[in-house]
Amino acid sequence: MDHRAVLERLSFLPDLHLVGGAVRDILLGLEPEDLDFATSAPPEEVMRLARQAGLGVAPTGLEHGTVTVLIDHRPYEVTTFRRDVETYGRRAKVAWGRSIEEDLARRDFTIGAIAMDAQGRVIDPYGGQRDMEAGVIRAVGDPLERFREDYLRVIRAGRFAARYGFQIEKETLKAAREAAPKVLAHVAVERVTAEFNKAFAAPPPAQPSRFLRYLYELEILQRLIPEFEDNHLLLQNPHWHPEGDVLTHVLEVVDRAPPQYRWHALLHDIGKRDTARWKPEGWYSFPGHERVGAALIPRIARDLRLPSHLRDELVVTTGLHMVPVLSKPTPAAIRRFQAQAGPHLEVLKALFEADGAGRRPKEAWAFFEPQPVPVQPILMGRHLIARGHRPGKGFGPILKAAYEHQLETGETDVERLYQAALARLSRG
């Protein structure tokens, strides 16, 4: 719903203002992702007035003054004006404020410390519009104080810079560098990972590589994922990697990857540091880095609180992304690759394309082509029962041997697969 229409529907609230990122995006000519509002009414009054207006309402964050109002089944957060009483990280004590200007003083950056009233008037006490025109991320007031109030703001500064193509103002960047060592000690990892997800999901012209480079320069990325330590020093074979070092390569792959696959791009070469071998030609080789990287994924996913389905997919894509580069595309090799990829073949293809930067040999793409012979097992337990076998531990070796023969030869006949499996097992 258009922000003007929502402001109109919520006009029963006193001193109503659209606030935060929505105003920033509107002024930048972008479509806002979320519409958040502020009012002078305390949360209990917001709930009473919303119900009186026939709207659904839920007390989603009363301790912070936030109420969710439903308009046409869509949720909109309405928060009472707040002012700081004591500021100490996320445990700051706040009281209900009296004005929108007081509320905006609590915001992190000037480009987000802007509000818009129901008449479309912009309230901008900290020069956010000026900074948007200059392409600058600037903290509201004392930057070090802003970061100490919530150390996540150090990460958010980099995300906003990457999202809008802005530069971080000198004093704000200096304060971010000073605060950086304390970020991961004071911020829950779930909140950090959420910032990565937002950076990865941002539409063009956003460049997530700028966000990641910023975190690397502040030594946050390598504290979060230790395997990134010194990746900028790992020079690669210039024939395949004219971009140079491992870090630069990974960040370029992240930019090229579709947004939903940027975690895969970020972690696809995570095993390179631990497998680096210096070559007399003046660069490193990384034998087996894909296998080492795949083994690291479960710990990294656990540390970052990534969902289990993403963890499992990352293990597959990290472990298999080099197969089309290193293997000859024989029918047997393609069947085996696609069997190992399973439901993740399309993700692997997207990663392979982003990783290759247009330099992949044509024959390598055969690994992703549909196969006339299925890669799912054909011989099943029911076939063994029909042939007189009793269910038990003996099923596994027979089915495995049949599947190996199927992948190697392309055989699809059940009886021939069965006989081949028995022959393999008899040979030991």
Side-chain angles (χ1 to χ4, degrees), residues 167-188:
Q167 299 296 321
I168 301 175
E169 178 267 334
K170 183 175 67 173
E171 291 303 316
T172 301
L173 181 58
K174 179 181 176 184
R177 293 186 187 281
E178 184 175 337
K182 299 182 180 179
V183 170
L184 298 182
H186 289 81
V187 180

Side-chain angles (χ1 to χ4, degrees), residues 25-26 36 190 194 215 220 225 255 265 321 326 346 359 408:
D25 288 347
I26 289 167
D36 296 324
E190 291 86 352
L215 294 183
I220 293 174
I225 307 173
D255 275 348
H321 79 276
L326 301 176
E346 285 303 311
R359 295 189 292 269
E408 289 175 9

Side-chain angles (χ1 to χ4, degrees), residues 9-48:
R9 292 288 296 274
L10 294 175
S11 60
F12 56 83
L13 295 172
D15 302 312
L16 181 70
H17 290 81
L18 181 66
V19 294
V23 181
R24 175 186 64 235
D25 288 347
I26 289 167
L27 294 175
L28 287 170
L30 304 173
E31 185 71 26
E33 295 179 9
D34 298 300
L35 300 179
D36 296 324
F37 299 88
T39 176
S40 60
E44 294 80 5
E45 181 70 2
V46 173
M47 294 176 68
R48 186 187 70 80

Side-chain angles (χ1 to χ4, degrees), residues 330-402:
T330 63
I334 294 171
R335 285 191 293 269
R336 188 173 299 279
F337 173 74
Q338 293 194 4
Q340 292 171 324
H344 311 301
L345 186 64
E346 285 303 311
V347 188
L348 268 165
K349 184 178 180 181
L351 176 60
F352 187 69
E353 184 172 10
D355 192 20
R359 295 189 292 269
R360 297 301 193 199
K362 287 183 178 180
E363 58 270 21
W365 292 100
F367 279 92
F368 302 98
E369 294 175 357
Q371 297 302 296
V373 177
V375 296
Q376 297 304 315
I378 292 173
L379 187 72
M380 308 296 285
R382 68 178 184 274
H383 299 127
L384 300 185
I385 294 173
R387 285 161 175 76
H389 292 269
R390 306 185 76 177
K393 293 181 179 180
F395 269 35
I398 299 174
L399 296 175
K400 181 180 179 182

Side-chain angles (χ1 to χ4, degrees), residues 118-366:
Q119 288 71 46
R121 289 190 293 262
V122 174
I123 294 86
D124 181 15
Y126 299 101
Q129 293 176 96
R130 180 190 62 233
D131 285 342
M132 280 192 284
E133 291 174 3
V136 169
I137 304 295
R138 186 193 310 272
V140 173
D142 180 353
L144 194 54
E145 184 178 340
R146 293 288 83 76
F147 292 139
R148 285 170 177 163
E149 289 168 359
D150 184 358
Y151 282 101
L152 185 70
R153 291 171 171 173
V154 173
I155 295 177
R156 282 166 57 85
R159 178 167 68 82
F160 287 142
R163 168 69 179 86
Y164 300 108
F166 289 1
Q167 299 296 321
I168 301 175
E169 178 267 334
K170 183 175 67 173
E171 291 303 316
T172 301
L173 181 58
K174 179 181 176 184
R177 293 186 187 281
E178 184 175 337
K182 299 182 180 179
V183 170
L184 298 182
H186 289 81
V187 180
V189 70
E190 291 86 352
R191 298 181 71 216
V192 175
T193 297
E195 290 296 307
F196 276 75
N197 289 333
K198 291 175 183 177
F200 290 165
Q207 288 185 294
S209 62
R210 286 193 60 202
F211 168 70
L212 296 167
R213 178 78 68 174
Y214 163 83
L215 294 183
Y216 188 85
E217 291 175 352
L218 267 58
E219 298 187 10
I220 293 174
L221 181 60
Q222 51 271 56
R223 290 193 188 105
L224 191 67
I225 307 173
E227 287 76 17
F228 272 110
E229 187 72 48
D230 292 335
N231 274 201
H232 68 293
L233 300 176
L234 298 177
L235 299 178
Q236 303 176 106
N237 184 339
H239 177 72
W240 297 111
H241 293 285
E243 70 277 7
D245 61 88
V246 169
L247 179 68
T248 299
H249 166 68
V250 167
L251 300 194
E252 288 187 2
V253 176
V254 170
D255 275 348
R256 289 193 292 264
Q260 67 270 34
Y261 301 142
R262 282 177 170 154
W263 277 111
H264 307 74
L266 178 66
L267 297 174
H268 80 285
D269 277 348
I270 201 63
K272 280 190 170 178
R273 189 199 67 167
D274 293 345
T275 57
R277 302 289 183 270
W278 181 250
K279 304 280 287 185
E281 293 90 338
W283 40 267
Y284 290 91
S285 65
F286 309 94
H289 74 273
E290 66 280 7
R291 295 189 298 276
V292 171
L296 292 169
I297 292 297
R299 191 218 78 224
I300 294 171
R302 183 174 63 250
D303 290 349
L304 299 178
R305 309 294 192 270
L306 298 179
S308 58
H309 70 87
L310 177 56
R311 174 203 63 207
D312 295 345
E313 193 165 79
L314 288 166
V315 169
V316 174
T317 57
T318 302
L320 295 181
H321 79 276
M322 292 299 292
V323 171
V325 179
L326 301 176
S327 305
K328 186 178 179 180
T330 63
I334 294 171
R335 285 191 293 269
R336 188 173 299 279
F337 173 74
Q338 293 194 4
Q340 292 171 324
H344 311 301
L345 186 64
E346 285 303 311
V347 188
L348 268 165
K349 184 178 180 181
L351 176 60
F352 187 69
E353 184 172 10
D355 192 20
R359 295 189 292 269
R360 297 301 193 199
K362 287 183 178 180
E363 58 270 21
W365 292 100

